[in-house]
Amino acid sequence: MQKKIKVLAASVALLSLSACGLLPEQADETKGWSATKLYSEAKEEMAGQHYERAIQLYEKLEASYPFGVYAQQAQMEVAYAHYKAQDQAQALAAVERFIKLHPNHPNVDYMYYLRGLVNFNDQLSLLNFVYEQDPAERDPKATREAFAAFKALVDKFPNSKYTPDAVDRMKYLINAMAKYEVYVARYYYRRGAYLAAANRAQDAVRDYRDSPSIEEALWIMARSYDKLGNTSLRDDTMRVFKLNFPNSKFLEEGAPKAERKWWKFWG
């Protein structure tokens, strides 16, 4: 019986190998394509928003012509295609690879800029983005990483054509980080955690002096110190508050009025 089982197993294996041999190999349509042809086809796929196919063609181009004029451009295009496909991890990996391999490339500033965009998670234009989402809803870690990425571009390439936009985005991100701190401070205050509220608001005042959120941060600090019975710190904070915001809405009603959201500063 055992012998018959072995014979049967061997027969099945032989049949499987024969069947595999009968199946036609999948043809590689790009075989023999020139670098120009591969690049052109990849660009067309990108234009049609077929990002996965475009990435395949760019990678084929780099593998087939690693020393040609298109190879480095293909690496950059792969990073951008991953970004457009909203694959953040792959996009960042491609960006870092390019920067490491080609630190002196004439267009490496764009890769620094793209790293900022990937972290910024900007599928729309900056204007559309700030009109749609409250910065308090953003992941503060991602916000800080985006700021650091844009800052690296500004510091390393101050004359880059991408630097002005990076600076604008950094200003937005500073406001976003400040608003997040105030958001948390407000949360603590409403739940009676006055010391935590005061400390969080103080962080916003210290770290983001030029943000519009400083007005509310100072107000929360003053109210928190009042709740804690620390009249000295309350009075000191109120003096600073009134000096900087003499016409504040908080002074009029003790709470903010409904108004156009501050981050819509392009409106």
Side-chain angles (χ1 to χ4, degrees):
M1 181 67 180
Q2 187 175 2
K3 184 177 180 181
K4 289 182 179 180
I5 292 174
K6 290 181 178 179
V7 171
L8 179 60
S11 300
V12 170
L14 287 171
L15 287 172
S16 298
L17 291 172
S18 299
C20 290
L22 293 173
L23 292 174
E25 293 184 5
Q26 186 173 359
D28 181 3
E29 64 174 326
T30 66
K31 187 176 181 179
W33 283 13
S34 66
T36 303
K37 171 73 170 174
L38 284 166
Y39 187 78
S40 175
E41 290 292 328
K43 292 291 284 184
E44 285 190 18
E45 296 293 347
M46 281 292 295
Q49 300 182 13
H50 305 135
Y51 303 122
E52 183 176 349
R53 177 58 176 162
I55 291 168
Q56 291 174 353
L57 290 173
Y58 284 130
E59 290 178 343
K60 177 75 172 179
L61 168 57
E62 184 187 354
S64 301
Y65 303 95
F67 306 110
V69 294
Y70 289 107
Q72 293 179 7
Q73 184 64 32
Q75 293 173 12
M76 298 176 69
E77 297 287 359
V78 165
Y80 181 69
H82 280 304
Y83 162 66
K84 293 297 289 182
Q86 302 184 46
D87 190 338
Q88 184 184 43
Q90 290 292 340
L92 288 174
V95 167
E96 298 300 340
R97 175 174 178 260
F98 185 90
I99 292 174
K100 183 178 180 180
L101 291 175
H102 314 290
N104 298 316
H105 191 280
N107 295 322
V108 73
D109 59 330
Y110 171 71
M111 299 307 282
Y112 277 83
Y113 177 64
L114 182 59
R115 180 166 61 183
L117 291 181
V118 172
N119 282 292
F120 196 71
N121 197 25
D122 180 19
Q123 291 302 315
L124 303 173
S125 70
L126 178 59
L127 297 181
N128 288 337
F129 182 86
V130 298
Y131 270 81
E132 293 296 330
Q133 186 179 25
D134 186 330
E137 298 172 1
R138 286 181 56 81
D139 176 6
K141 181 176 182 292
T143 304
R144 289 192 292 269
E145 289 175 350
F147 181 86
F150 286 126
K151 188 175 187 302
L153 167 67
V154 173
D155 291 344
K156 196 172 183 65
F157 305 98
N159 298 319
S160 169
K161 65 181 179 180
Y162 304 107
T163 293
D165 184 70
V167 169
D168 286 342
R169 291 172 187 266
M170 287 171 66
K171 291 177 181 177
Y172 163 76
L173 290 167
I174 286 174
N175 288 338
M177 290 185 285
K179 191 174 192 301
Y180 180 81
E181 293 299 318
V182 172
Y183 176 87
V184 175
R186 191 188 313 126
Y187 173 88
Y188 284 139
Y189 182 86
R190 288 173 177 172
R191 281 152 183 78
Y194 302 120
L195 181 59
N199 288 339
R200 205 64 184 249
Q202 187 177 51
D203 288 344
V205 173
R206 181 189 66 236
D207 297 334
Y208 310 109
R209 294 179 180 275
D210 297 325
S211 169
S213 293
I214 298 308
E215 179 181 358
E216 186 176 358
L218 285 168
W219 181 252
I220 291 174
M221 284 176 62
R223 295 179 70 184
S224 297
Y225 290 140
D226 183 63
K227 292 290 186 179
L228 291 167
N230 193 328
T231 56
S232 177
L233 285 177
R234 178 200 64 193
D235 294 343
D236 287 345
T237 304
M238 283 303 299
R239 277 194 291 272
V240 174
F241 180 86
K242 291 178 179 179
L243 178 64
N244 287 276
F245 306 102
N247 301 315
S248 174
K249 57 186 176 292
F250 295 100
L251 291 172
E252 296 175 3
E253 298 181 5
K257 296 177 182 178
E259 61 173 359
R260 180 173 64 90
K261 294 180 179 180
W262 68 263
W263 68 90
K264 299 182 179 180
F265 52 89
W266 274 295

